[in-house]
Amino acid sequence: MRQLMERILVRMREIITTVDLDNADCLEIRQQLEREFGIDLTKYRRFINEQIVSMFGHLSYAPSKIFDYLYLGNEWNASNLVQLQQLGISHVLNVTMEIADFFSSDFTYKTIRIKDDESQDLQRYWTVRTCL
C-alpha cells in the first residue's frame, strides 16, 4: 500500500503541472490516476484530495470578486483558510458533487450536491430557502 501511495504522489505531481487549474478538480485528477493505474482509487480519495490541495496550497489564485460581498472561486480557493479569512468570507455556497466543506466549523455552508457541469439546471436551486 505504501508503494502505491508513493506512485500516486509522483504521478499526481506530474499531472498537476499539466492541468488547467480553472477547470481541473480532485475528481478529474483521481479519475485520470485510476485510468493510468487501472484500479479503483476511491478508498484513497481523502489522501488524494488532501495531497492535491497541499500541492496547490502555495499557489495564490484569487477568487473573482463579483460584488463587495460576493466572490466566485474554485476548489483551491475553498480549501485556502487564510485567503477566505483575509477576504472576510463568512458563508460558502458549495455547488459540487466532489468538493468537501473544508472548514465547516469556521464558516456557514450551503451545499448543493450536483455535478459541476454546464448542462446542469441551477435555477431550480435558487429559491428563498437556498439563500444564505
Side-chain angles (χ1 to χ4, degrees):
M1 182 165 85
R2 181 83 177 144
Q3 289 178 337
L4 176 59
M5 291 171 72
E6 289 174 8
R7 287 180 53 219
I8 290 170
L9 276 174
V10 169
R11 183 61 189 129
M12 207 172 4
R13 285 187 189 105
E14 294 169 354
I15 292 170
I16 286 174
T17 62
T18 64
V19 296
D20 175 2
L21 297 181
D22 291 329
N23 295 313
D25 62 25
C26 290
L27 175 61
E28 290 174 18
I29 293 170
R30 189 181 84 229
Q31 288 173 336
Q32 182 172 343
L33 288 167
E34 287 176 333
R35 285 189 302 273
E36 292 182 16
F37 287 113
I39 58 173
D40 180 9
L41 296 174
T42 302
K43 70 180 182 179
Y44 295 97
R45 177 180 150 191
R46 183 179 177 140
F47 167 74
I48 291 169
N49 290 357
E50 288 173 354
Q51 294 303 314
I52 291 171
V53 168
S54 173
M55 289 176 195
F56 282 108
H58 68 282
L59 300 175
S60 60
Y61 290 94
S64 300
K65 186 175 185 178
I66 308 300
F67 299 111
D68 287 340
Y69 58 87
L70 182 66
Y71 290 86
L72 177 62
N74 58 26
E75 180 176 8
W76 319 119
N77 303 126
S79 65
N80 187 333
L81 179 62
V82 173
Q83 184 181 64
L84 292 168
Q85 291 171 331
Q86 288 173 340
L87 292 170
I89 304 295
S90 61
H91 292 68
V92 177
L93 177 60
N94 182 351
V95 186
T96 65
M97 288 292 282
E98 184 78 9
I99 300 171
D101 295 340
F102 291 103
F103 309 108
S104 56
S105 61
D106 297 293
F107 303 99
T108 301
Y109 280 85
K110 173 63 180 174
T111 305
I112 300 172
R113 293 290 178 208
I114 60 172
K115 188 169 174 73
D116 188 3
D117 181 302
E118 64 187 36
S119 68
Q120 291 292 329
D121 177 18
L122 297 178
Q123 273 191 314
R124 69 183 191 173
Y125 297 99
W126 304 148
T127 65
V128 173
R129 288 184 287 163
T130 60
C131 294
L132 297 173

